[in-house]
Amino acid sequence: MPGQTGPRAADRTLEVLELVAEGTDPVSAKALARSLDCALSTVYTLLTPLTERGYLVRTEGGYVLGYRVSALHRSFQKQTGLNDGIDGLLVRLRHTTRASANYVAYQGDGLVIADVRTVAAQGRRRTDLGIGVDPRSHAYAHGKIALAAAGPAARRRYLEEPGLRPFTPRTIVSAARLDEELRRIRRSGIAVDVEEAQPGLACLAAPVLGEDGTVVGSVALSVSPSQLRSHRAQLTASVRRAANEATQAICR
């Protein structure tokens, strides 16, 4: 790539950063060259600005993430409201409800999961949420919050890809039924799913607002279906109160 500039060079530089971030051990330049299927000289050209700017550090075993990455992460947390206050809020919510408490931050058009914080209840399994567009958004309560807040174009893109896939017999797979569910969520401010994403799992979620009033995240509780049936009013009040508290913390 000597002499190559522009989007392709930037794209390959980011590929190098991502490959090093994915490694559990230092990654050598030769390993990067194999992964990128390019010359070793090209890899060193890509590594130079990353190391000079502190995004990567060269060690005896290879390259690892540098100090600038943590600075980016702190800025990311500030922009998405993911601070120590959110963590404390989840601990209090779990203590009050004895249920797994989650904070899910959204980005972009609202359907991209930017980060997830979880405080799991004793002995209760944690939901497996990844970063990016979750194809189970229509099945999870936190995803329904995002879909309810998203614009028509974003919802249409979701219906087209990944689409309304069934994950359990209870998953909503009808666009008309989902639209009705999203209208109800916008009216009530609470989303619920009962074994729609996973058998034996029920969730409640409430939206968290940013300074401009848009939905930037949600607070959610993961419980058993029987716990939801017997304590729905208390759980709903708790998750709504926690979401309001998170909104205040972000807008403070």
Side-chain angles (χ1 to χ4, degrees), residues 38-100:
C38 65
L40 189 59
S41 59
T42 297
V43 169
Y44 280 120
T45 300
L46 298 169
L47 286 167
T48 297
L50 290 171
T51 53
E52 288 179 347
R53 290 174 176 267
Y55 292 104
L56 294 181
V57 172
R58 185 175 185 177
T59 68
E60 290 185 3
Y63 291 85
V64 297
L65 294 179
Y67 69 93
R68 284 291 299 168
V69 174
S70 62
L72 285 179
H73 184 61
R74 286 194 297 273
S75 296
F76 166 77
Q77 288 181 310
K78 182 178 180 181
Q79 291 176 8
T80 55
L82 286 164
N83 51 35
D84 293 339
I86 295 295
D87 292 330
L89 179 152
L90 293 179
V91 171
R92 293 192 297 275
L93 182 59
R94 186 208 62 79
H95 180 74
T96 300
T97 61
R98 303 297 178 187
S100 293

Side-chain angles (χ1 to χ4, degrees), residues 104-114 132-133 137 142-143 145-151 154 157 215-217:
V104 181
Y106 311 127
Q107 265 190 335
D109 59 14
L111 295 180
V112 176
I113 295 179
V133 177
S137 291
H142 73 268
I145 290 290
L147 284 166
R157 286 197 301 273
V215 174
V216 297

Side-chain angles (χ1 to χ4, degrees), residues 19 24 53-54 72 88 106 119 121 144 154 165 195-196 210 220 227 233:
L19 286 168
T24 55
R53 290 174 176 267
L72 285 179
Y106 311 127
V119 177
K144 293 180 185 180
R165 305 174 188 174
E195 297 188 290
E196 294 175 41
Q227 187 178 359

Side-chain angles (χ1 to χ4, degrees), residues 111 138 147 152-165 173-176 178-179 182:
L111 295 180
H138 61 290
L147 284 166
R155 286 198 299 275
R156 186 165 55 250
R157 286 197 301 273
Y158 182 87
L159 291 175
E160 293 171 354
E161 181 62 39
L164 302 182
R165 305 174 188 174
V173 293
S174 160
L178 178 64
D179 190 55
L182 298 181

